[in-house]
């Protein structure tokens, strides 16, 4: 499940860059739709990982919240790009939430790969 989770958010993040740059050229609907599908896979695998814990720490709850925040920020950035509006707020939120998920996921929480911490 952790591999599905990592694969899904990696694909979603790549699609975010593709979607925003294609929307700036007036296209982008297809990668946006695939990215939305990846949101569902990220959330499904995230909930399964969350439920695999016997007890739920504060850090785990924060990981869940920042994970959802990252997805909301990805969607916000894409919709702003589609409407030709500024994507600055979306990108700022995305990078903050994304970096927090990496620190918690790879550094603090026990499942999967431990890259640091
Ligand atoms: C774009 C959004 C997300 C990113 C970038 C992300 C990133 C990560 C990373 C890097 C890990 C650690 C993987 C490892 O240790 O091998 C992880 C684990 C996890 N994620 Fe996410 N995640 C996201 C969304 C979510 C969501 C929405 C949920 C819950 C609904 C969630 C729940 C979890 C749980 C429970 C774990 C296991 C924690 C552990 O390592 O022990 N994630 N995630």
């Amino acid at each position: 499940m952790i591999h599905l989770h990592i694969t899904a958010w990696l694909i979603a993040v790549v699609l975010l860059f593709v979607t925003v740059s294609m929307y700036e050229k007036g296209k982008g609907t297809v990668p946006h739709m695939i990215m939305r599908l990846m949101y569902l896979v990220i959330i499904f695998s995230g909930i399964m990982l969350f439920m695999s814990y016997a007890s739920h720490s504060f850090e785990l709850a924060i990981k869940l919240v920042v994970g959802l925040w990252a997805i909301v920020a990805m969607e916000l950035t894409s919709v702003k790009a589609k409407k030709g509006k500024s994507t600055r707020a979306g990108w700022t939120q995305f990078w903050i939430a994304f970096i927090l998920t990496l620190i918690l996921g790879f550094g603090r929480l026990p499942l999967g790969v431990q890259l640091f911490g």
Side-chain angles (χ1 to χ4, degrees), residues 2-3 5-6 8-10 12-13 39 42-53 60 63-71 74 94 97-99 101-115:
I2 204 92
H3 296 103
H5 193 64
I6 294 173
W9 65 253
L10 269 176
V13 171
Y39 298 162
I42 295 169
I43 294 169
F44 165 75
S45 57
I47 290 171
M48 297 305 279
L49 288 164
F50 189 82
M51 294 198 321
S52 73
Y53 274 79
L60 188 62
K63 167 66 186 67
L64 190 143
V65 171
V66 292
L68 291 171
W69 183 23
I71 292 173
M74 293 167 84
F94 168 73
F98 183 58
I99 290 166
T101 63
L102 298 182
I103 292 169
L104 285 168
F106 285 139
R108 303 285 304 167
L109 293 163
L111 291 181
V113 188
Q114 295 314 300
L115 294 181

